[in-house]
Amino acid sequence: EGLRRQDGIHAAAVVITKEPLTEYLPIQRKPESGVAIEDAPVVTQYEMHGVEELGLLKMDFLGLRNLDVISDALELIRRTRGVEVDIDDVDLADEATYELLRRADTIGVFQLEGGPMRALIRSLAPTEFEDVAALVALYRPGPMAANMHTDYADRKNGRQEVTYLHPDAEEILGDTYGLCIYQEGIMRIAQRFAGYSLADADNLRKACGKKVRELIAKERTKFVEGCEATGYGADLGTAWFDIIEPFADYAFNKSHSYGYGLVAYQTAYLKANYPAEYLSALLTSVKTNLDKAAVYLAECRAMGIEVTVPDVNRSLSDFAPVSAGTDGEGATVDGGAEHEAARILFGLSAVRNVGSGLVELILAERDEGGPFEDFYDFCQRVNTQVLNKRTIESLIKAGGFDSMGHPRQGLLTVFEQIVDATIARRKEHDMGVMSLFGELEDGPAFDERIRIPDVEFDKKQRLAFEKEMLGLYVSDHPLLGAEHALKRKADCTIPDLAELDDGVQRTIGGVITGLQRKWTRKGDLMAVFVLEDLQGSVEAMVFPKTMAQIGHLLVEDAVVLTTGRIDKRDDTPKFIPRELELFEPQLDEHPPLRLHLAPSRLDDPTIDRLQELIDDFPGESEVHILLGERQVVRLSDDHLVNTRSGLIGELRALLGHDAVLL
């Protein structure tokens, strides 16, 4: 019949009306599985275009995880530093924020953390808020295909001349260096040069965006005739329309870009000025996304902020910063330390088998009675619900009792006996049974304490338990100490794979975890494992043909270097190794210092400062400078440096973390 036989929900927007909705359109409830009809969402019976044609207001409300990160960070700042930050009234000219942006230290910054985006940020070198908003609009397929992102960066920094089709366009496009990167700019050009009303200009934008040839031809004629009528001439009208027509494919709404740009700036501001608090909130937001958590954990390490294992005496439910002067709750009492001295404590609720309800019971007892003196005191004081053996075992393996001086292995061997004895004593106490020697004033006493053996796991086993309970290596990492040598051999880090196309060949390095050997239907042996570096992880699949060549090298916790291709055919990208070798870094007392610099960064002040630093830290290591993607310059032996001094920190402050390749 050509009629719709059923309807569905399209989350197009929220419809807002002056009078009750039913005065304008029919509505209905759409029941969902397991939801009562009276609780089902209310939707319109007209589809979105019909709602538009009625002239009703549709508003799109976006829920962003980053807004929770911001509000959580503000609460941590208030708690740890006693500072109230009005994030909606921050200084949009904060120099520390722009320094962070120019270094492209934007891991964890909304919209600005991808690898190619960071390369664009370095080239653009933002100095004002308009640049941040422009980044949001420029880093998309359309503008990048037209090379507009490079043109904008070059024009801003004087590497390309700023030109306009007509001098009168400077008033409209001056803040974007003569480039049309926003829809509003096109609409104002149509208004100024072709005499359009703003409503007509919006219709022009829609017509070009729909790619309907008849509509575009009609608009072209109207636009050129309008330019003729306003005195600008048909030639200029044709030139403008030749720009406008393809622009509609990738035009970006300026108000949208400024809104996103503001959230991006706010997150960059918090990272630059309150890094421990911001990164704590960021880690909390991704505590169930271990790949992202690994990236942010690595960023903490790169910034000199130590992330420690959870601590029943200092940790909160979520990640929280702590510095030298703190109270028992992990809150700073000295007004806040510099972030170099700060630490971030793993949240107790992020420990496997430790639910948020049990965490609240631990925190409530700690708030009331103060820090726990030792494991015995912990067992005597906490609610007996917490004394679940699986929960206690998880806390021990995660390092939750390390600060009390108890070795993890020793505590694991006797904790069950201590817990059983404690519960028995507490039951006796509740029943009124007296100990032979009476009771202590603050509760039941042990006649004889079960001694905790002074034995500890080796590093490998300790880290394995941490990884099991927390999902991440926290106190240490199998790659720490080998990461720089591994980086020199690899083409990219594991998170960089997400930016590449399906089938691209790369060499990556990391530690093998979660190794499983499997058999195909034909009975051939294959393997699946997770390869993890300091920034992230990827699932790797070794097929039978390759397995025959490298299978003997696949060992749990082995550090390897592997070459293969990226497989993006499924929702989750995978890596398909073709070659693999065990990685054993050669000890080099004086490894070379490698700097990766974009030619756009080589202005006179940067070069002068770079030369000063190299001269100020003489040593035995060569300096290799990679310019752009290909040209490598090796400085003479007159410019050898000491890489074990403060040089690395100074260079990262000057050039950005990613520019220093040890």
Side-chain angles (χ1 to χ4, degrees), residues 401-439:
F401 300 99
D402 286 2
S403 65
M404 299 174 180
H406 302 310
R408 299 184 197 179
Q409 183 179 3
L411 196 52
L412 273 177
T413 60
V414 297
F415 85 92
E416 292 186 344
Q417 300 172 52
I418 297 175
V419 168
D420 288 341
T422 304
I423 292 176
R425 300 295 177 108
R426 292 175 69 166
K427 284 183 177 178
E428 289 178 358
H429 176 265
D430 292 342
M431 294 169 62
V433 178
M434 299 290 288
S435 168
L436 178 62
F437 299 105
E439 294 182 337

Side-chain angles (χ1 to χ4, degrees), residues 7 15 17 20-30 42-47 50-51 54 56:
D7 61 358
V15 180
T17 57
L21 283 164
T22 49
E23 296 291 322
Y24 303 93
L25 42 66
I27 60 176
Q28 62 176 317
R29 290 192 182 274
K30 293 293 289 184
V42 176
V43 300
T44 67
Q45 291 191 47
Y46 292 158
E47 46 82 42
V51 174
L54 285 175
L56 299 179

Side-chain angles (χ1 to χ4, degrees), residues 297-298 300-301 305-311 319 343-346 396-400 402-403 408 456-481 532 534:
L297 187 62
C300 291
R301 291 182 178 129
I305 300 174
E306 180 188 4
V307 179
T308 67
V309 293
D311 182 347
F319 290 84
R343 289 182 293 132
I344 294 175
L345 287 166
F346 223 91
I396 295 170
K397 287 181 175 179
D402 286 2
S403 65
R408 299 184 197 179
E456 185 55 285
F457 295 116
D458 60 23
K459 174 182 172 180
K460 182 178 179 181
Q461 184 61 64
R462 191 174 71 252
L463 288 180
F465 280 143
E466 267 184 35
K467 181 76 180 294
E468 178 188 356
M469 293 301 116
L470 304 176
L472 301 165
Y473 297 112
V474 180
S475 63
D476 206 335
H477 195 286
L479 295 181
L480 285 176
E532 177 178 329
L534 288 170

Side-chain angles (χ1 to χ4, degrees), residues 380-396:
Q380 289 185 62
R381 288 172 49 191
V382 296
N383 189 297
T384 52
Q385 293 180 57
V386 177
L387 298 180
N388 175 299
K389 290 182 181 178
R390 190 170 67 164
T391 298
I392 299 298
E393 179 182 0
S394 298
L395 284 170
I396 295 170

